[in-house]
Amino acid sequence: MKKLYLAVGIFLCALNLIAQENKTSNDEKYVIHIKKSVAPIKLDGHLDEEIWKTADVAGNFFLKRPYDTSFAQLQTEVRVSFDDNFLYVGAVCYQPRNTYTIASLKRDFEPGTSDVFAVNLDTFKDRLNAFQFVTNPYGVQREGLVFNGEEISNFWDNKWYSHVKNFDDYWVVEMAIPFKTIRYKVADGENSWRVNFTRTVLKTNEQSSWRPVPRNFAPSNLAFTGLMVWDEKPPKPGANVSVIPYVSLAAEKDFPRNEEDLSPIGTTTGYPKGIGMDAKVAVTPSLNLDLTINPDFSQVEVDKQVTNLSRFELFFPERRQFFLENNDLFGSFGFPDTRPFFSRRIGITRNPNTGLNQQVPILAGARLSGKLNDKWRIGLMNMQTKRVSFGNNKYLPAANYSVATVQRKILDRSTIGAIFTDKENVFGNLNEEQTGSYRKYNRVGGLEFNYYSKDSRFEAESYYHQSFSPNENKDAASAAHFMGYHHPNIDLNFGVQRIGKNYRADVGFVPRTGIWQLFRPVTVILNPKSKNISRYINAYGVGSEGSDVFDLKGKLLDSESNLFVFANSPAGDEAYIAYSWQFTHLFETFDPTNASDNPNPDAFRNVVELPVGNYSSRFFNMGYTSSQRYTLNGTFDFSKGKYFNGNATIWESSIAYRFQPYGILTVACNFTDIRLPKPYNSVKYWLLGPRAELAISKSLFFSTFFQYNTQTNNININSRLQWRFRPVSDVFLVYTDNYFAENISRYYVNAWAPKNRALILKMTYWLNI
């Protein structure tokens, strides 16, 4: 296995070096000059200032979707200018007024749900990182950070200004982006940024851009950008210091019961209030310091529940604002299932009494992140959490978390990076029984190489990470290599990974250790040449996804493969059918229904687990996803087949209704039916999730999320009213409630019996100093 890993690594690295010869030759075709305006520019949706009449025009937008072989039918014309304080973007977006698709009036609306005009600013020209500013035809804003060449984090918040004016056949947007909002460097010689402007029109399923982007890449891909050349130097960004204090008041109540491991234990009623603060300080024009004192994340939406049939921990995405900005500097090291840093380890824990996630008080934290210069990026973070009591003599110790990263750009779009994480538990006066399950410390250090070819067709990643824990430092490393080739007609990927049996990442996400793993997905994509067929099918293809897991001696533990065929329409619908098969070696007894996730003792007290041995599963799968252009849209996925030594039927579906521009109503329904022969367990799980997202105006929003989960015997209600009384300043009213979903007969607990509830009022205010 080691020889195979080495051979594959050498072969793929050779391909990487060959790929360096890839060149793009269109840079000189896409250049826009930016001139300074001597007169004030008013944001009114009328491009009638003198500077707009003489400014360069970025036009002739090219299609990316549904085809990338012609100019867009709905064209766009973009102009840029600046003064001492703002970068201005003016765009004329041709589109009949009656064809708008607007999901919501809420700021930071979901990507892919509305017509948009977007600006991507690669201020350091590294083709890896950029700022994105987006607006829709109703003037609703969204901003984000582009990282890893095309991925987007939409959780970056900052102040900028825009105005949209609608006409019968087009709409006009004017943006004013404060220079102190973005990071850049002023050079002594020529100053230029990389930039691209993109459009999405859902009604016609058109995605287009000024600099053409091939259909197999995201519109935000920074390999395909033009140049914005400054005729005069941009101004040096001034001091940018923002303070965001908050105050909150909460009424909380638990409903304790005496039965062990059944329900909450601790304070029954409380009226906590909180005061805290965040601050953002621009240390340099490209390096930012974020500070937080007693942070509060009560306004963050609860996790979307899932039916868990896995033997290992599931991954849930980060939702808290403080941890999301520049998260690629911290959270993208490693592979998706072996992250040395995972921010949800800080300030969130699983309550052993309720089985639910709960907040851990964070006393304070600091993060320094950004660019030192054109080549170097750094990230430093330190957080301190408070000790938590769960009752019944159970505690979570206080802990200090540190992470440091550095990244250097090499070649054209590639990086070498290093990471170090450290978690130090503070036991204080806790005794050995109370701290027995916790390590005193855990540290991880590692190096990574990430390669992206100039045209984004080739990518590769190699890493080596070593962990350090008390008495667990032998075979405590993780290493991997991944290679991908992305062509409009074929997508090839291969990865190999080794995780030592003592590799630990207490500040990361590593659900499984002591394994070798292979990844081998491939997809062939075809486009019909017949005009009659292309009216209905935009692309079709066949592919396979699969992975294999071995123990460190080479014995096969798990293998999963599927074959699928798919087709999508010019409108954006997609359908597929697939056949999948899995091999599983159980090295310890296991209940495939995962009934132990249910806190109801009646649900699993008589469960007989499958014995150690080899098992196979085979499924027929089919699914469909409709286009977002439709007012009524949805998805479904159906699987049926052999599951371990029995059978299973799994149905997942959702349907959404958009009543534009005020919001979306969504109902999700998952049903899992597992039938195993006696004496093994059989179950039927339901997971229902109605959800409403309403925008009463551009400043008042309401959302409510209901989840009914029979696997965890939990009903959850999370409702949130948000009033944005000024830019990036809000008042939140949040109501959360948890109930039992089913009866627990042995303890005479009825369905809809309450577990805990909370009502929270919180206000945040963004103050620029």
Side-chain angles (χ1 to χ4, degrees):
M1 184 64 66
K2 292 183 179 179
K3 292 181 179 179
L4 172 64
Y5 175 72
L6 180 61
V8 171
I10 293 173
F11 173 70
L12 294 179
C13 287
L15 286 180
N16 293 344
L17 294 176
I18 294 172
Q20 290 178 30
E21 299 303 317
N22 257 311
K23 303 293 182 183
T24 53
S25 59
N26 290 323
D27 285 2
E28 67 278 3
K29 295 182 181 179
Y30 299 94
V31 177
I32 184 170
H33 286 261
I34 178 170
K35 302 176 182 179
K36 187 172 183 179
S37 176
V38 296
I41 295 178
K42 182 181 180 181
L43 297 187
D44 56 5
H46 293 282
L47 303 182
D48 51 8
E49 285 86 1
E50 188 64 28
I51 187 63
W52 295 132
K53 298 175 183 178
T54 60
D56 280 5
V57 178
N60 294 322
F61 275 42
F62 210 79
L63 272 181
K64 176 195 174 294
R65 194 184 67 186
Y67 312 103
D68 59 359
T69 55
S70 64
F71 289 102
Q73 180 180 1
L74 298 174
Q75 275 295 325
T76 310
E77 297 174 352
V78 185
R79 296 166 174 83
V80 290
S81 183
F82 74 102
D83 59 22
D84 291 335
N85 298 306
F86 296 96
L87 168 69
Y88 295 97
V89 180
V92 180
C93 305
Y94 291 94
Q95 180 182 1
R97 189 197 296 257
N98 62 358
T99 63
Y100 295 165
T101 300
I102 309 293
S104 173
L105 296 174
K106 183 180 179 181
R107 198 178 192 277
D108 298 327
F109 52 91
E110 287 290 326
T113 61
S114 296
D115 298 343
V116 296
F117 168 76
V119 180
N120 297 314
L121 296 172
D122 179 3
T123 59
F124 284 88
K125 297 192 296 184
D126 61 9
R127 300 178 188 254
L128 292 171
N129 304 278
F131 302 92
Q132 185 181 78
F133 299 90
V134 182
T135 187
N136 67 21
Y138 280 14
V140 184
Q141 296 178 342
R142 187 181 77 223
E143 67 276 304
L145 297 174
V146 183
F147 64 96
N148 288 345
E150 72 172 25
E151 299 179 61
I152 300 176
S153 170
N154 289 307
F155 297 96
W156 175 62
D157 272 340
N158 240 305
K159 283 185 178 181
W160 57 287
Y161 309 93
S162 64
H163 186 91
V164 170
K165 182 76 173 178
N166 299 107
F167 300 89
D168 289 340
D169 296 318
Y170 61 93
W171 51 284
V172 179
V173 56
E174 285 186 288
M175 297 179 176
I177 302 168
F179 283 113
K180 63 182 181 180
T181 294
I182 52 182
R183 314 281 181 255
Y184 62 94
K185 187 181 72 172
V186 180
D188 292 333
E190 180 186 88
N191 287 272
S192 61
W193 297 354
R194 303 207 69 86
V195 64
N196 206 0
F197 311 104
T198 66
R199 280 276 308 281
T200 297
V201 182
L202 292 178
K203 188 69 70 176
T204 57
N205 193 36
E206 276 197 11
Q207 277 189 349
S208 60
S209 59
W210 173 51
R211 168 71 188 270
V213 180
R215 69 164 74 183
N216 55 312
F217 297 117
S220 57
N221 192 294
L222 299 177
F224 308 97
T225 49
L227 281 177
M228 185 171 72
V229 179
W230 298 79
D231 288 354
E232 300 180 35
K233 286 184 179 182
K236 292 184 178 180
N240 184 9
V241 179
S242 301
V243 177
I244 309 105
Y246 85 86
V247 60
S248 67
L249 179 66
E252 299 176 342
K253 185 174 183 179
D254 290 340
F255 296 86
R257 294 172 175 83
N258 294 324
E259 296 84 2
E260 184 178 0
D261 294 329
L262 183 61
S263 60
I265 297 176
T267 304
T268 58
T269 304
Y271 301 95
K273 55 181 178 295
I275 297 175
M277 182 188 72
D278 291 342
K280 294 178 176 289
V281 181
V283 179
T284 72
S286 57
L287 192 63
N288 204 65
L289 175 64
D290 292 272
L291 304 171
T292 186
I293 300 173
N294 192 31
D296 173 87
F297 306 108
S298 56
Q299 79 277 14
V300 176
E301 186 179 74
V302 297
D303 288 323
K304 181 180 178 181
Q305 297 184 35
V306 297
T307 300
N308 179 18
L309 300 180
S310 171
R311 290 172 291 159
F312 308 103
E313 181 185 14
L314 298 181
F315 183 90
F316 288 91
E318 178 62 85
R319 298 176 180 274
R320 297 169 296 171
Q321 179 66 39
F322 181 85
F323 295 102
L324 290 168
E325 186 174 340
N326 280 335
N327 187 50
D328 69 293
L329 265 173
F330 304 96
S332 61
F333 282 81
F335 276 15
D337 58 353
T338 49
R339 298 295 190 198
F341 177 76
F342 180 41
S343 58
R344 282 180 63 106
R345 299 298 185 208
I346 305 173
I348 300 178
T349 192
R350 186 177 177 88
N351 188 312
N353 297 314
T354 66
L356 301 175
N357 286 335
Q358 74 172 54
Q359 288 192 34
V360 176
I362 298 176
L363 300 177
R367 180 185 63 222
L368 180 69
S369 60
K371 281 183 172 287
L372 295 178
N373 53 40
D374 291 356
K375 299 291 186 181
W376 291 93
R377 297 175 77 206
I378 65 167
L380 302 170
M381 184 188 300
N382 184 269
M383 310 290 291
Q384 178 66 48
T385 61
K386 189 178 179 181
R387 186 172 74 183
V388 174
S389 172
F390 299 119
N392 278 358
N393 204 33
K394 298 178 182 178
Y395 291 90
L396 178 72
N400 183 265
Y401 300 83
S402 299
V403 56
T405 69
V406 62
Q407 185 183 85
R408 191 188 193 283
K409 179 187 172 185
I410 61 173
L411 304 177
D412 190 71
R413 302 180 62 228
S414 305
T415 61
I416 293 177
I419 186 170
F420 177 78
T421 68
D422 180 28
K423 179 184 178 182
E424 301 279 345
N425 284 314
V426 183
F427 292 148
N429 58 358
L430 297 178
N431 58 44
E432 186 174 344
E433 178 184 355
Q434 295 165 332
T435 62
S437 61
Y438 300 104
R439 286 182 280 269
K440 176 63 177 176
Y441 67 87
N442 173 257
R443 298 162 190 147
V444 175
L447 296 172
E448 298 207 359
F449 169 66
N450 291 278
Y451 173 81
Y452 300 94
S453 67
K454 194 172 183 180
D455 62 359
S456 265
R457 287 195 179 185
F458 287 89
E459 67 168 307
E461 176 183 355
S462 298
Y463 78 77
Y464 179 86
H465 298 157
Q466 176 76 41
S467 70
F468 305 91
S469 303
N471 306 318
E472 294 179 347
N473 295 322
K474 185 179 180 181
D475 195 14
S478 173
H481 185 86
F482 167 81
M483 174 67 180
Y485 175 71
H486 312 296
H487 183 274
N489 297 116
I490 189 167
D491 196 88
L492 293 171
N493 300 275
F494 181 82
V496 58
Q497 178 181 41
R498 186 189 189 278
I499 307 174
K501 65 178 181 180
N502 287 321
Y503 179 72
R504 302 288 183 267
D506 289 356
V507 197
F509 178 79
V510 187
R512 195 169 185 180
T513 60
I515 60 170
W516 282 91
Q517 190 163 8
L518 300 179
F519 308 91
R520 41 181 173 78
V522 57
T523 305
V524 177
I525 306 148
L526 303 173
N527 305 109
K529 296 182 179 179
S530 168
K531 290 185 178 181
N532 292 330
I533 297 177
S534 63
R535 292 169 55 190
Y536 305 100
I537 298 178
N538 177 45
Y540 62 97
V542 60
S544 173
E545 294 179 345
S547 65
D548 307 287
V549 179
F550 304 84
D551 69 14
L552 297 180
K553 295 181 179 180
K555 179 180 179 180
L556 182 65
L557 301 179
D558 292 278
S559 180
E560 181 175 0
S561 300
N562 70 9
L563 289 173
F564 61 87
V565 294
F566 72 93
N568 56 54
S569 73
D573 308 271
E574 182 166 319
Y576 78 91
I577 57 173
Y579 183 74
S580 63
W581 58 96
Q582 298 90 33
F583 166 84
T584 303
H585 172 73
L586 293 181
F587 44 84
E588 59 184 26
T589 61
F590 174 64
D591 170 26
T593 69
N594 261 358
S596 59
D597 279 358
N598 192 325
N600 176 3
D602 293 337
F604 59 89
R605 59 178 174 173
N606 296 320
V607 169
V608 178
E609 296 185 331
L610 294 182
V612 171
N614 297 331
Y615 299 86
S616 63
S617 302
R618 299 178 183 274
F619 282 94
F620 169 77
N621 315 90
M622 61 185 300
Y624 169 77
T625 300
S626 67
S627 170
Q628 290 284 343
R629 68 189 286 183
Y630 307 128
T631 302
L632 187 67
N633 58 79
T635 67
F636 85 85
D637 185 278
F638 175 78
S639 302
K640 185 177 180 63
K642 180 178 181 294
Y643 181 64
F644 285 88
N645 63 337
N647 297 285
T649 300
I650 302 173
W651 174 281
E652 300 179 9
S653 61
S654 68
I655 187 169
Y657 177 75
R658 180 183 66 247
F659 49 104
Q660 85 175 36
Y662 300 106
I664 298 178
L665 297 177
T666 306
V667 178
C669 177
N670 297 349
F671 173 68
T672 302
D673 184 8
I674 298 175
R675 296 291 146 191
L676 304 182
K678 296 293 185 181
Y680 305 109
N681 198 28
S682 295
V683 296
K684 291 183 179 181
Y685 290 140
W686 286 96
L687 177 55
L688 303 177
R691 178 176 179 173
E693 290 277 354
L694 306 177
I696 302 168
S697 69
K698 289 184 180 180
S699 59
L700 189 61
F701 320 114
F702 175 75
S703 65
T704 189
F705 194 16
F706 175 90
Q707 297 184 95
Y708 172 84
N709 189 342
T710 59
Q711 184 184 33
T712 60
N713 196 8
N714 191 66
I715 295 172
N716 174 258
I717 301 171
N718 179 247
S719 298
R720 179 178 57 180
L721 182 67
Q722 177 185 358
W723 173 38
R724 175 148 286 186
F725 59 90
R726 59 175 297 160
V728 209
S729 301
D730 303 276
V731 173
F732 297 94
L733 183 64
V734 183
Y735 175 73
T736 302
D737 218 340
N738 286 284
Y739 301 87
F740 287 95
E742 296 180 325
N743 295 339
I744 301 179
S745 58
R746 182 152 51 122
Y747 296 112
Y748 305 104
V749 177
N750 297 322
W752 288 93
K755 295 181 179 180
N756 50 60
R757 64 174 56 114
L759 182 66
I760 300 167
L761 179 66
K762 178 181 177 181
M763 185 182 77
T764 65
Y765 186 83
W766 186 297
L767 178 63
N768 286 331
I769 299 177

